[in-house]
Amino acid sequence: MKKVLFLMLPLTALFFSTQKLLAQTQLKIAVFDVDLMVQNMPGYKMVDSLLQVYNTDSLGAEYEIYQNEFRRLDSTFKADSAAGKSAAVLDYTSNQRKQIGLNLVYWQQIAQQKSENKRGMLAQPLYAAVASAYKKVLDARKYTLVLKPNTYELGSLVENIFPYVARELKVELPRELGGGQPLPDEKPAVKSPAKAKSK
């Protein structure tokens, strides 16, 4: 029992000192996701369109080339086997056929990786613009911690910085990211009362 009490005393002291430290330092938490912001940029639709063309034309053609090459190597191996060619020739053709076969078996993963690389290349200017605006917002607002959406349950303690980055980029945000609402540091526009028309 003494050991438990002896152990609890330092833990309690640590808890209270941590609480005091947190109270002294202003903890500013924000929520933001670079990928979500890039996907909501006006130029991202063009990236999607170009990526669909790449997937259909380039990756589709590459898959077809692999299929044709596998068939050719398979026919060559069978013909060389029937003709009694040397083991070295048969091994070479067999290894080539196996390599092409592996590319066909793992084509989904290969194509997905190539597609993601192409998306990264096409969207790179958008990522650069978002990163620059994001850095300006972080420098100006001095956040301690930035979380991704859906990774917190702190409610009103977390500030959504999507609107600040969108303002910096001069783009419209969808409602689900905080678009269409005034920023906390902006005053909503007040309409002046309508003047009566004089006759």
Side-chain angles (χ1 to χ4, degrees):
M1 183 70 172
K2 285 183 180 181
K3 288 182 182 179
V4 173
L5 288 175
F6 188 70
L7 200 73
M8 291 299 288
L9 186 63
L11 289 175
T12 307
L14 180 65
F15 174 75
F16 284 116
S17 65
T18 304
Q19 293 292 8
K20 189 176 181 181
L21 182 65
L22 284 176
Q24 289 173 353
T25 62
Q26 187 173 3
L27 184 65
K28 282 185 80 174
I29 303 172
V31 61
F32 188 73
D33 186 353
V34 173
D35 293 325
L36 268 176
M37 189 68 208
V38 167
Q39 290 167 9
N40 284 285
M41 293 282 288
Y44 194 74
K45 288 180 181 171
M46 179 61 79
V47 170
D48 270 345
S49 298
L50 292 172
L51 192 64
Q52 286 177 357
V53 169
Y54 173 76
N55 288 341
T56 304
D57 294 348
S58 298
L59 293 180
E62 189 175 342
Y63 182 70
E64 199 172 310
I65 289 168
Y66 280 137
Q67 286 181 319
N68 291 337
E69 185 64 11
F70 184 81
R71 283 190 216 108
R72 185 189 69 76
L73 288 168
D74 192 49
S75 297
T76 302
F77 181 78
K78 288 176 182 172
D80 288 349
S81 294
K85 295 227 175 165
S86 70
V89 170
L90 292 175
D91 285 345
Y92 178 78
T93 306
S94 177
N95 287 338
Q96 293 293 311
R97 184 181 63 171
K98 284 178 188 174
Q99 183 59 45
I100 298 294
L102 283 174
N103 286 346
L104 289 172
V105 167
Y106 294 110
W107 180 250
Q108 282 300 116
Q109 291 92 333
I110 292 169
Q112 184 175 357
Q113 182 65 42
K114 287 184 177 201
S115 182
E116 288 303 313
N117 289 344
K118 186 69 170 180
R119 180 186 303 275
M121 286 174 33
L122 293 171
Q124 202 284 324
L126 297 174
Y127 274 100
V130 168
S132 174
Y134 175 58
K135 185 178 180 331
K136 285 179 185 175
V137 169
L138 288 182
D139 289 345
R141 303 197 55 86
K142 308 283 189 236
Y143 291 104
T144 311
L145 178 66
V146 179
L147 302 171
K148 287 194 176 231
N150 301 324
T151 59
Y152 64 92
E153 293 185 23
L154 298 174
S156 64
L157 296 177
V158 179
E159 187 175 0
N160 179 8
I161 61 173
F162 281 100
Y164 295 106
V165 175
R167 179 177 63 184
E168 192 70 38
L169 291 166
K170 296 175 179 59
V171 297
E172 292 286 325
L173 270 181
R175 275 215 177 276
E176 60 269 11
L177 294 179
Q181 300 170 13
L183 295 174
D185 57 351
E186 292 179 342
K187 294 180 182 169
V190 177
K191 293 183 179 179
S192 59
K195 293 182 181 178
K197 291 183 181 180
S198 57
K199 292 186 179 182

